[in-house]
Amino acid sequence: MSNETRPGRKTFQGVIVSDKMDKTRVVKVERQYKHRMYEKIIRTATRFHAHDEENKSKLGDIVEIMSTRPLSKLKRWRITRIIRSFEA
């Protein structure tokens, strides 16, 4: 895993909601935006399948993910760094 930022690649921060697969994590990314007409704040969440080569991240960790080439049917993201580990 390289920690460099590359131009043209999207990066998001999210929480790991599943770590049951080998070398794959499900990361939930939440975002807020204002509705154009009604100006109400809307919160949405998206789940991404991300590649974790060394299985370092665990359930509840806050991680940064970066877009990458397709690695499998669902994986188009890879975990670049663990921002904060979850303390149970």
Side-chain angles (χ1 to χ4, degrees), residues 19 21-25 50-55 75:
D19 63 351
M21 296 171 274
D22 184 36
K23 297 185 180 182
T24 303
R25 303 292 182 255
H51 184 68
D52 184 12
E53 182 65 35
E54 299 162 357
N55 285 327
K75 285 198 286 187

Side-chain angles (χ1 to χ4, degrees), residues 60-78:
D61 289 355
I62 297 174
V63 295
E64 179 180 72
I65 59 174
M66 177 188 294
S67 63
T68 186
R69 64 181 175 84
L71 299 171
S72 69
K73 179 181 174 183
L74 297 174
K75 285 198 286 187
R76 269 80 173 136
W77 299 86
R78 108 177 143 247

Side-chain angles (χ1 to χ4, degrees), residues 32-43:
Q32 295 180 359
Y33 63 95
K34 188 179 281 193
H35 192 278
R36 283 181 279 159
M37 184 176 190
Y38 301 116
E39 297 184 357
K40 179 180 178 177
I41 302 295
I42 300 171
R43 293 174 47 164

Side-chain angles (χ1 to χ4, degrees), residues 9 14 31 33 46 53 56 78 80:
R9 301 274 176 122
R31 71 181 192 100
Y33 63 95
T46 308
E53 182 65 35
K56 285 185 177 179
R78 108 177 143 247
T80 54

Side-chain angles (χ1 to χ4, degrees), residues 73-88:
K73 179 181 174 183
L74 297 174
K75 285 198 286 187
R76 269 80 173 136
W77 299 86
R78 108 177 143 247
I79 295 176
T80 54
R81 67 187 177 109
I82 300 172
I83 296 171
R84 191 172 67 220
S85 294
F86 179 71
E87 304 295 328

Side-chain angles (χ1 to χ4, degrees), residues 15-20 25-26 56-62 85-88:
V15 179
I16 295 181
V17 294
S18 174
D19 63 351
K20 294 181 180 181
R25 303 292 182 255
V26 179
K56 285 185 177 179
S57 57
K58 299 297 176 197
L59 186 69
D61 289 355
I62 297 174
S85 294
F86 179 71
E87 304 295 328

